Amino acid sequence: MSDHTKLLGVDYGSVRVGLAVTDPERKFAFPLTTYSRRTPDKDAAFFRELVAREEVGALVVGLPIHTNGREGQKAAEARAYGQWLAETTGLPVAFFDERFTTVQAESALWEAGLTHRQRKERRDRVAAQILLQTYLDAGCPADEGAGPLEG
């Protein structure tokens, strides 16, 4: 991964995908957008344009791991989506434990006083931001199984 390109955080969902991006120095993560999935061709065009426009050098895909540390069906889907993103964009993909990011995002948005509709609109991109910031704070581990809750 290049040192002066951004990372794109991806909070995978079968309907919506939350996206966050870092600064070029990879110190801070910022919520970017929530993308509503369409067709594979439209999705591919969206991601190719996004990574070019944002100068993204690598992707971090959230891996929904069960509280017992095991991967289930959703983790398999996230891994398949990450593989598709790698093939689509030509960029490397790291997978990172995303346990509790949606809960943290919902809590932060609730505390900010947002309505249910406002929270729903922002939740996925804020979850992606939390995922990406946690990844940065963990030192951007290369091991795709690494996560913040592992000792």
Side-chain angles (χ1 to χ4, degrees):
M1 292 189 231
S2 171
D3 286 343
H4 293 290
T5 58
K6 299 173 185 176
L7 297 177
L8 181 69
V10 180
D11 181 46
Y12 165 79
S14 57
V15 176
R16 288 180 308 279
V17 179
L19 300 169
V21 69
T22 66
D23 61 301
E25 290 76 31
R26 299 181 178 181
K27 294 181 188 248
F28 302 102
F30 305 94
L32 187 61
T33 192
T34 301
Y35 177 72
S36 294
R37 295 176 65 185
R38 293 167 179 85
T39 67
D41 288 343
K42 288 181 181 180
D43 294 355
F46 170 81
F47 278 101
R48 286 187 197 112
E49 190 276 327
L50 178 70
V51 299
R53 181 182 74 237
E54 292 292 333
E55 299 178 352
V56 171
L59 308 169
V60 179
V61 175
L63 202 55
I65 299 173
H66 294 298
T67 54
N68 66 6
R70 294 207 170 126
E71 294 185 21
Q73 178 60 35
K74 287 295 181 188
E77 291 174 18
R79 284 191 183 277
Y81 194 72
Q83 180 62 38
W84 176 83
L85 283 171
E87 293 166 3
T88 298
T89 64
L91 296 174
V93 172
F95 294 94
F96 195 70
D97 185 346
E98 69 162 22
R99 278 181 274 193
F100 310 116
T101 57
T102 301
V103 172
Q104 289 174 321
E106 179 68 19
S107 177
L109 294 169
W110 179 267
E111 288 177 19
L114 276 66
T115 66
H116 174 74
R117 183 176 180 183
Q118 291 169 325
R119 290 193 314 272
K120 182 179 178 184
E121 178 202 319
R122 292 168 174 83
R123 182 181 309 121
D124 296 318
R125 73 184 82 160
V126 173
Q129 175 192 16
I130 293 168
L131 159 76
L132 192 53
Q133 189 65 54
T134 304
Y135 178 78
L136 294 172
D137 294 347
C140 303
D143 178 8
E144 62 186 38
L149 300 180
E150 296 182 28

